[in-house]
Amino acid sequence: IDVLVKWVVAVVLIGVVGGAFFFCEYLIYFPTILKCAWPKISHARGGEGTDGHSVDSAVRAMVLSDTHLLGAVGGHWFDKLRREWQMERAFQTALWLLRPEIVFILGDIFDEGKWSSQKHWEDDVRRFHRMFRHSADTELVVLVGNHDIGFHYEMDWFKLQRFEKVFNASSTRIVTKKGVNFLLVNSVALHGDGCPICQSVEKELIKLSRDLNCSLQHYPLYRVSDAGCTGQDAAPPEERHLLFREKYDVLSKEASQRLLQWFKPRLILSGHTHSGCEVLHDNKYPEISVPSFSWRNRNNPSFILATVSPSSYTLSKCFLPEESTVISVYCSAGACLLLLFLAHCMWMKGLLQCLSLCLLGKHKSL
């Protein structure tokens, strides 16, 4: 009986541990992302009149931001393992279930690109390509952020060209898909102080200013704060009224106005703040700040699903599993294991007492 009980307890323990692990590390992403769906274009947004484009004729774009792959200096191995596994499983599950035609990552791909050595940079790049692998049916487009090449005062040609070489593209360019033009902006270089990289980027932007539909960049356009931002992925209430610093948290007023005047975009997508926000500039230019994709920066990461045609667009937000939910499941599993262990100990103690009494009774009868 004792051996049988041990086997039963062992099977139950393995079932609880294995079930919790499989749910938290694999299964949880499927029901969460299955709640998401591509928004359908019905009436023009950013265009005029009713849009006759179907979802099939429009671009299905997935937009995420601020993955912040940890580096060799400030990244603890467990923190790195945990956050990167979460992003890899979330991204791969989203690709499998949603099948986007194009994916944009709005900068801060790496956490330590601004100071990493060549050896550490190559290791970070290798991990990125493993995590964000994709089929030939999906195009992956990556923008540069301040953590990739440094803030304006830290960036140089070496770090910028190193980034551009890895992702095989200029950091400021137009990507065209089904007649929709997406402008990718190196917003780190939009300080207007005449630095060589800034001059090069501004010159390129002026050349591209005739072909814009949608603008994507890392830094948000200028806004005073997140005070007007709402929603479950907005900044915490205690942080929403903190004033933003120009050229650090957001672009300067001057740079923001130049971009709006040059391109008159019907939609702007940005990252950097790690929180969601919707802003309407000059009462006609909508900007969406995309929250971070990583648990390291927020408990409820998310990404944007965009259906975009040449004359209109529509957006929806897809939330990932919350880290607190996963922690709660593991804590519950741990509590169950503890209860099972205590119950087993009490049962074994009672069994031993019973056997002792039986043996004692036989001994007395003899």
Side-chain angles (χ1 to χ4, degrees):
I1 295 177
D2 185 36
V3 174
L4 178 62
V5 170
K6 287 183 178 180
W7 272 105
V8 171
V9 171
V11 169
V12 172
L13 291 177
I14 292 172
V16 171
V17 173
F21 179 83
F22 182 71
F23 176 77
C24 290
E25 306 305 328
Y26 291 92
L27 189 60
I28 192 172
Y29 297 98
F30 286 89
T32 306
I33 296 177
L34 273 172
K35 297 176 184 177
C36 308
W38 291 104
K40 294 183 179 181
I41 294 177
S42 55
H43 297 285
R45 184 180 179 185
E48 295 180 359
T50 302
D51 192 337
H53 292 88
S54 66
V55 176
D56 292 335
S57 66
V59 181
R60 292 183 302 176
M62 175 177 164
V63 185
L64 54 117
S65 187
D66 293 270
T67 51
H68 284 272
L69 272 70
L70 294 175
V73 177
H76 187 274
W77 70 267
F78 182 76
D79 192 11
K80 186 183 297 185
L81 174 69
R82 190 79 198 95
R83 269 55 180 192
E84 291 183 6
W85 176 254
Q86 169 258 321
M87 288 191 287
E88 180 177 352
R89 292 317 317 150
F91 184 76
Q92 296 302 324
T93 305
L95 287 190
W96 192 73
L97 294 176
L98 299 171
R99 303 195 179 280
E101 296 169 276
I102 189 167
V103 177
F104 295 99
I105 306 182
L106 305 183
D108 278 3
I109 312 303
F110 308 108
D111 198 56
E112 299 178 4
K114 56 187 178 181
W115 62 53
S116 61
S117 66
Q118 189 61 28
K119 178 183 177 181
H120 293 152
W121 169 261
E122 291 172 358
D123 179 63
D124 293 346
V125 169
R126 177 188 57 79
R127 292 183 356 256
F128 172 83
H129 286 309
R130 185 201 70 231
M131 293 165 56
F132 294 94
R133 61 191 180 276
H134 56 91
S135 68
D137 296 333
T138 300
E139 182 179 358
L140 180 65
V141 179
V142 173
L143 283 73
V144 68
N146 56 286
H147 275 266
D148 302 314
I149 62 173
F151 282 99
H152 173 262
Y153 59 88
E154 297 172 306
M155 70 175 179
D156 55 40
W157 284 112
F158 170 76
K159 286 182 279 191
L160 177 60
Q161 290 171 354
R162 181 172 70 172
F163 185 92
E164 292 180 338
K165 182 180 179 181
V166 164
F167 296 105
N168 195 31
S170 169
S171 60
T172 298
R173 66 192 190 278
I174 285 180
V175 173
T176 302
K177 202 85 170 174
K178 292 184 177 179
V180 179
N181 296 319
F182 298 93
L183 174 70
L184 314 183
V185 178
N186 177 1
S187 53
V188 182
L190 292 181
H191 280 224
D193 61 357
C195 77
I197 296 178
C198 301
Q199 288 180 336
S200 174
V201 168
E202 290 191 16
K203 183 178 178 181
E204 189 65 28
L205 286 173
I206 292 172
K207 286 167 56 180
L208 297 174
S209 61
R210 298 184 183 90
D211 301 314
L212 177 71
N213 283 158
C214 301
S215 173
L216 299 101
Q217 59 200 43
H218 181 64
Y219 277 111
L221 296 185
Y222 175 79
R223 60 178 185 260
V224 175
S225 68
D226 270 350
C229 304
T230 58
Q232 63 187 98
D233 60 350
E238 64 274 14
E239 297 179 9
R240 293 181 196 175
H241 293 275
L242 297 178
L243 299 181
F244 282 146
R245 293 162 290 180
E246 294 185 53
K247 304 180 180 181
Y248 189 88
D249 299 310
V250 294
L251 289 178
S252 67
K253 290 181 182 179
E254 293 76 16
S256 301
Q257 285 302 312
R258 282 202 304 272
L259 282 176
L260 294 177
Q261 290 170 5
W262 286 344
F263 299 105
K264 298 178 173 55
R266 57 188 172 118
L267 175 64
I268 304 156
L269 294 165
S270 61
H272 188 61
T273 65
H274 301 171
S275 299
C277 190
E278 294 187 25
V279 182
L280 190 62
H281 298 280
D282 297 342
N283 294 317
K284 55 182 174 181
Y285 302 119
E287 178 182 7
I288 308 295
S289 289
V290 182
S292 174
F293 193 69
S294 173
W295 274 345
R296 192 167 190 262
N297 297 319
R298 59 182 309 107
N299 180 51
N300 59 337
S302 62
F303 57 90
I304 296 290
L305 293 176
T307 304
V308 190
S309 75
S311 59
S312 70
Y313 68 89
T314 183
L315 309 174
S316 66
K317 189 166 289 183
C318 185
F319 284 90
L320 301 179
E322 296 185 359
E323 186 176 31
S324 58
T325 300
V326 172
I327 293 173
S328 297
V329 171
Y330 276 129
C331 289
S332 299
C336 289
L337 290 178
L338 181 60
L339 290 174
L340 285 171
F341 178 74
L342 292 175
H344 174 65
C345 290
M346 293 177 67
W347 189 87
M348 289 299 297
K349 182 179 179 181
L351 179 63
L352 289 174
Q353 288 178 345
C354 182
L355 289 174
S356 299
L357 290 174
C358 290
L359 291 173
L360 182 60
K362 287 182 179 180
H363 179 73
K364 286 182 177 180
S365 65
L366 292 173

